[in-house]
């Protein structure tokens, strides 16, 4: 009998594979960090072959660790860092260039030109997105325009494009399937989220041939089959990681929301069958669903969340293990007036400034390493606060509490500070690998492992509730300082 789901979570920092049973217990897990390539200031790349190889390796490692028979795996669910663009040769299967990562800013001027030429409103209406270098379309255009021979090859239908899910599906099925799901398509700035089709006007504007693009399916769907040690296992669930996390947190119904603290921070609210248009700097996107019926979400995207901790670890060398950030931050009573705005790759929602860059302000002769570490952690909470405030202004409804997940949500200092800033409870679930869990649910629903959403909803359970504990004067004073700090970093590169 098939009893397990194998979830592949290809995130920005690492590739992970997790085997879940029907009660959402983790049977085995494997993880590998991924090399980040920074070829120029503001550019971010990854090696697509490393993405695939690391994902394949952790998949096999998790299977081996679990000791289960592969025939007991009912399905594979895939979830992925979104927007990151891979272009490869459809015959040889070789990428023509590195993957251009969602954080990369190389297409800022290209996007600014689209807006200057008067296409901004159409992009917003058709795709639900704010025109920004974040999204995939301009990254594809950059590859076609700048990699030798790529434009000609694309014109001869020799190239394929995919977000990371598509690349993994294509590799895992030995080049049999070129497909993506609605959630990933909705991040390309090429997909019309109302007509549910690739948008000819946007393709033409960005010079992208339609035959490079994958087929688009619902998130819970049989995409193809993966040969695993002689057994054929279906890929039955695919979703961008933030939509998968929304699903994994069981936010199935209108008004339910979560915030994920991974490389970036992403607040998503399910808005049901209504594509809500933000007036406060959020974007409209497609949510992962268990059926053909489309649900939409309102999203606030912060580009540098947990990544600021990685920066302190790898570039500043303030500590060697990210978990130590909490201990070090708690060695000082406050930041000593220091603010760090980690606009390393510009600022996303609600500011949308492709030219902002990071700053540390408020330094004094007494500033210590610990103050900066604390300011870095607090910056994650401030940015998330800005998202919640924008979402509440858009929907006119205050969130009762904030459900959280992702790697940095394990930092209890950060979660407590988040509750203090918001003046709202922060709820951390027992399974914080919610992204992988969401992909597992989507796959499991497609193959009948779970009967329906209500059965899954009952599985959610809380590990910790963080309750606010900060007086109002201090809270408003801190937020005021944050706003002033942000003001200093906007437009820096211009
Ligand atoms: N204890 C911690 N405190 C703060 N940040 C952390 C901690 N542990 C991990 N992180 C951060 O969380 C991120 C990894 O979270 P994860 O959900 O795996 O992200 P992704 O899916 O983007 O790869 C990294 O950026 C890392 O710096
Ligand atoms: O790698 P994560 O989990 O921070 O997610 C990245 C997002 O999908 C980018 O949109």
């Amino acid at each position: 009998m098939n009893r397990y789901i194998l979830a592949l979570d290809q995130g920005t920092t690492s590739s992970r594979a997790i085997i879940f049973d029907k009660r959402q217990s983790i049977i085995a897990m494997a993880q590998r960090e991924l090399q980040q390539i920074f070829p120029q200031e503001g550019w971010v790349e990854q090696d697509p072959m490393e993405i695939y190889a690391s994902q394949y390796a952790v998949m096999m490692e998790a299977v081996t660790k679990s000791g289960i028979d592969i025939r007991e795996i009912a399905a594979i669910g895939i979830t992925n860092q979104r927007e990151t663009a891979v272009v490869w040769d459809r015959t040889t299967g070789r990428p023509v260039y590195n993957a251009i990562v969602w954080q990369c800013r190389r297409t800022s001027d290209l996007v600014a030109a689209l807006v200057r030429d008067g296409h901004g409103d159409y992009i917003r209406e058709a795709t639900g997105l704010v025109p920004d270098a974040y999204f995939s379309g301009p990254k594809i255009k950059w590859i076609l325009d700048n990699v030798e021979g790529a434009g000609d090859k694309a014109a001869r239908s020799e190239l394929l494009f995919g977000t990371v899910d598509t690349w993994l599906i294509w590799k895992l099925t030995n080049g049999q399937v070129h497909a993506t799901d609605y959630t990933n398509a909705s991040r390309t700035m090429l997909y019309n989220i109302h007509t549910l089709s690739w948008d000819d006007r946007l393709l033409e504007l960005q010079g992208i041939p339609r035959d490079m693009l994958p087929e688009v399916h619902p998130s819970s769907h049989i995409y193809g089959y993966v040969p695993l040690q002689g057994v054929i296992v279906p890929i039955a669930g695919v979703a961008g990681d933030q939509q998968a996390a929304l699903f994994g947190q069981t936010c199935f119904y209108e008004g339910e929301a979560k915030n994920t603290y991974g490389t970036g921070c992403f607040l998503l609210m399910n808005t049901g069958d209504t594509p809500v248009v933000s007036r406060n700097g959020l974007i409209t996107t497609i949510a992962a669903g268990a059926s053909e019926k489309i649900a939409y979400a309102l999203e606030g995207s912060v580009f540098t969340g947990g990544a600021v901790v990685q920066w302190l670890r790898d570039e500043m060398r303030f500590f060697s293990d990210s978990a130590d950030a909490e201990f070090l931050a708690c060695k000082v009573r406050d930041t000593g007036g220091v603010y760090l705005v980690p606009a390393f790759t510009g600022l996303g929602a609600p500011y949308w400034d492709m030219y902002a860059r990071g700053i540390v302000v408020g330094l004094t002769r007494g500033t210590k390493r610990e103050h900066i570490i604390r300011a870095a952690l607090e910056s994650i909470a401030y940015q998330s606060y800005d998202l919640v405030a924008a979402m509440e202004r858009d929907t006119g409804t205050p969130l009762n509490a904030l459900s959280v997940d992702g790697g940095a949500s394990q930092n209890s200092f950060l979660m407590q500070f988040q509750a203090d800033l918001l003046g709202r409870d922060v709820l951390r679930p027992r399974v914080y690998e919610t992204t992988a869990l969401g992909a597992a649910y989507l796959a499991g629903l497609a193959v009948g492992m779970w009967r329906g959403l209500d059965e899954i909803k009952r599985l959610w359970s809380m590990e910790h509730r963080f309750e606010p504990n900060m007086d109002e004067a201090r809270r408003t004073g801190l937020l005021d300082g944050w706003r002033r700090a942000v003001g200093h970093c906007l437009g820096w590169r211009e």
Side-chain angles (χ1 to χ4, degrees):
M1 189 196 154
N2 291 328
R3 292 189 297 157
Y4 304 104
I5 301 288
L6 171 57
L8 307 182
D9 178 1
Q10 206 303 300
T12 314
T13 17
S14 71
S15 297
R16 259 165 297 186
I18 304 182
I19 299 178
F20 290 98
D21 70 7
K22 202 172 169 211
R23 298 209 49 76
Q24 65 164 27
S25 299
I26 293 179
I27 303 301
M29 173 171 172
Q31 178 168 14
R32 270 192 201 180
E33 276 214 11
L34 208 61
Q35 198 203 342
Q36 314 289 320
I37 305 166
F38 307 112
Q40 285 187 32
E41 187 269 321
W43 290 29
V44 189
E45 297 180 0
Q46 288 171 358
D47 174 357
M49 296 310 281
E50 187 193 347
I51 292 177
Y52 173 65
S54 62
Q55 193 61 69
Y56 191 84
V58 293
M59 173 172 80
M60 297 319 293
E61 194 184 325
V63 169
T64 308
K65 272 187 185 169
S66 71
I68 63 174
D69 184 331
I70 289 183
R71 279 169 300 197
E72 291 189 295
I73 298 176
I76 293 173
I78 295 180
T79 180
N80 56 290
Q81 53 169 315
R82 306 166 301 168
E83 301 95 13
T84 297
V86 186
V87 175
W88 67 95
D89 184 304
R90 74 163 82 220
T91 311
T92 65
R94 301 291 307 174
V96 300
Y97 190 73
N98 272 341
I100 302 186
V101 175
W102 57 277
Q103 298 162 311
C104 187
R105 301 283 91 189
R106 82 185 63 195
T107 51
S108 300
D109 291 347
L110 228 148
V111 175
L114 283 175
V115 175
R116 232 182 5 255
D117 293 346
H119 303 297
D121 286 346
Y122 184 74
I123 292 174
R124 284 169 207 263
E125 276 163 35
T127 67
L129 306 174
V130 171
D132 193 272
Y134 178 23
F135 304 107
S136 324
K139 299 182 198 294
I140 309 174
K141 178 170 170 50
W142 188 94
I143 291 176
L144 300 188
D145 290 350
N146 292 280
V147 175
E148 204 187 329
D152 292 340
K153 279 186 164 182
R156 293 196 300 266
S157 305
E158 291 171 16
L159 299 185
L160 297 176
F161 153 75
T163 38
V164 167
D165 56 313
T166 305
W167 170 239
L168 292 177
I169 295 169
W170 198 82
K171 294 292 285 177
L172 288 167
T173 60
N174 291 321
Q176 298 295 305
V177 181
H178 183 226
T180 190
D181 83 307
Y182 289 131
T183 68
N184 276 293
S186 73
R187 317 298 299 188
T188 56
M189 224 171 88
L190 300 171
Y191 196 69
N192 189 310
I193 61 167
H194 309 288
T195 60
L196 301 181
S197 56
W198 298 114
D199 188 291
D200 286 328
R201 177 168 163 189
L202 292 174
L203 291 179
E204 199 174 315
L205 268 179
Q206 295 172 70
I208 297 166
R210 186 183 256 267
D211 60 10
M212 287 182 76
L213 304 174
E215 285 179 17
V216 189
H217 299 293
S219 297
S220 193
H221 168 88
I222 306 285
Y223 281 77
Y225 295 87
V226 182
L228 277 185
Q229 296 178 345
V231 180
I232 300 293
V233 185
I235 299 172
V238 175
D241 55 8
Q242 301 311 321
Q243 286 93 334
L246 188 69
F247 203 81
Q249 288 268 23
T250 70
C251 298
F252 302 141
Y253 306 112
E254 204 174 322
E256 294 181 326
K258 66 87 204 177
N259 192 31
T260 299
Y261 300 76
T263 302
C265 293
F266 300 90
L267 176 69
L268 270 78
M269 177 184 277
N270 189 325
T271 62
D273 51 17
T274 320
V276 173
V277 178
S278 175
R279 282 187 307 278
N280 295 287
L282 304 180
I283 57 180
T284 312
T285 199
I286 300 183
S291 65
E292 301 267 334
K293 198 165 162 268
I294 292 290
Y296 294 91
L298 197 55
E299 171 173 325
S301 334
V302 159
F303 296 155
T304 303
V308 72
V309 175
Q310 223 174 13
W311 174 74
L312 292 178
R313 186 193 67 183
D314 299 343
E315 266 66 46
M316 296 296 105
R317 306 201 182 172
F318 281 178
F319 42 79
S320 55
D321 182 351
S322 301
D324 291 343
E326 180 167 356
F327 163 75
L328 292 165
C330 292
K331 280 177 77 172
V332 285
R333 280 181 39 238
D334 52 35
T335 67
V338 173
Y339 285 88
L340 189 158
V341 186
F344 300 150
T345 54
L347 285 176
Y351 306 100
W352 296 106
D353 186 340
M354 296 187 282
Y355 300 101
R357 288 296 179 271
I359 51 162
V360 185
V361 287
L363 296 174
T364 64
R365 181 63 185 79
T367 301
K368 296 197 286 195
R369 180 179 66 135
E370 286 79 2
H371 291 120
I372 295 177
I373 295 170
R374 190 171 175 123
L377 287 179
E378 291 189 357
S379 76
I380 304 174
Y382 285 121
Q383 293 183 95
S384 297
Y385 172 91
D386 286 339
L387 301 182
V388 172
M391 195 163 276
E392 292 185 339
R393 279 199 296 275
D394 271 336
T395 59
T397 321
L399 285 179
N400 291 329
L402 185 66
S403 297
V404 300
D405 54 68
S409 73
Q410 289 316 288
N411 189 311
S412 295
F413 161 76
L414 169 61
M415 293 300 105
Q416 182 58 50
F417 188 71
Q418 187 72 81
D420 290 344
L421 271 190
L422 289 171
R424 241 66 62 79
D425 289 2
V426 165
L427 314 179
R428 189 165 67 189
R430 183 170 66 82
V431 181
Y432 76 93
E433 292 287 358
T434 329
T435 301
L437 187 59
Y441 286 155
L442 289 162
L445 285 164
V447 296
M449 178 121 153
W450 290 284
R451 278 189 302 277
L453 299 183
D454 291 343
E455 183 186 353
I456 289 177
K457 192 101 184 156
R458 283 194 293 274
L459 294 173
W460 192 94
S461 66
M462 190 164 54
E463 179 260 336
H464 195 91
R465 176 190 294 270
F466 297 87
E467 295 175 9
N469 181 27
M470 183 184 279
D471 68 66
E472 189 56 22
R474 181 163 158 71
R475 194 173 87 85
T476 46
L478 288 174
L479 285 166
D480 184 50
W482 169 252
R483 278 182 209 112
R484 286 191 296 132
V486 170
H488 287 300
C489 80
L490 297 175
W492 184 259
R493 270 283 280 161
E494 273 175 326

